Amino acid sequence: MPDIPQWASDALSGVYDPCCREKGISVVEMGLVRSVEVDDGRARVELLLTSGWCPFAARVLTEVRERIEEQPGVREAEVEVVWDEVWTVDRLSPRAARVLRFLPAPAQVPDKESYIREELR
């Protein structure tokens, strides 16, 4: 899973992808932060996007950079979107998965009626 120091996770827990802001799901809970490293006051943050077509990517990158640069021991931050890994729902925190309630693939639900009855309880 992600290589994120606790201080960075705490700092980024108030940064939201605009699509999930109203649900209170941060970029950390979405699993968009792949890594945060600091070397001699220079931070490097790697982010994944849920979609390459995200119209809010620039805003999220700017906010992540600003939050990281506010942290003690960080003079500057570089935020980069990485494309060598695809974001999947497996990266969601348990709370984010519950809030977003992604449905399983149809092949994973052999008895649709039982699944629906169970979920409606």
Side-chain angles (χ1 to χ4, degrees):
M1 220 26 170
D3 182 17
I4 308 169
Q6 188 62 49
W7 64 266
S9 181
D10 292 345
L12 298 176
S13 66
V15 176
Y16 300 93
D17 179 312
C19 296
C20 292
R21 180 180 303 278
E22 74 281 353
K23 295 187 183 311
I25 301 171
S26 72
V27 295
V28 174
E29 288 185 291
M30 283 292 296
L32 301 181
V33 182
R34 182 165 88 170
S35 68
V36 177
E37 296 174 350
V38 179
D39 184 26
D40 195 29
R42 298 185 67 182
R44 182 169 189 278
V45 181
E46 294 181 327
L47 295 180
L48 300 170
L49 298 178
T50 56
S51 164
W53 296 101
C54 177
F56 306 111
R59 183 179 345 172
V60 172
L61 271 63
T62 298
E63 193 169 350
V64 166
R65 181 182 50 76
E66 290 171 349
R67 291 288 177 99
I68 293 296
E69 287 178 343
E70 293 171 351
Q71 302 310 301
V74 176
R75 341 182 223 91
E76 66 179 296
E78 170 192 4
V79 181
E80 178 184 355
V81 174
V82 293
W83 301 104
D84 62 344
E85 180 179 353
V86 176
W87 180 89
T88 66
V89 296
D90 296 336
R91 295 186 62 87
L92 291 168
S93 72
R95 187 188 86 79
R98 277 192 314 277
V99 170
L100 294 174
R101 293 185 55 113
F102 283 94
L103 295 175
Q108 293 176 318
V109 183
D111 183 357
K112 179 178 74 172
E113 285 77 23
S114 293
Y115 177 83
I116 291 170
R117 269 195 310 277
E118 197 62 32
E119 287 298 309
L120 291 176
R121 281 205 262 156

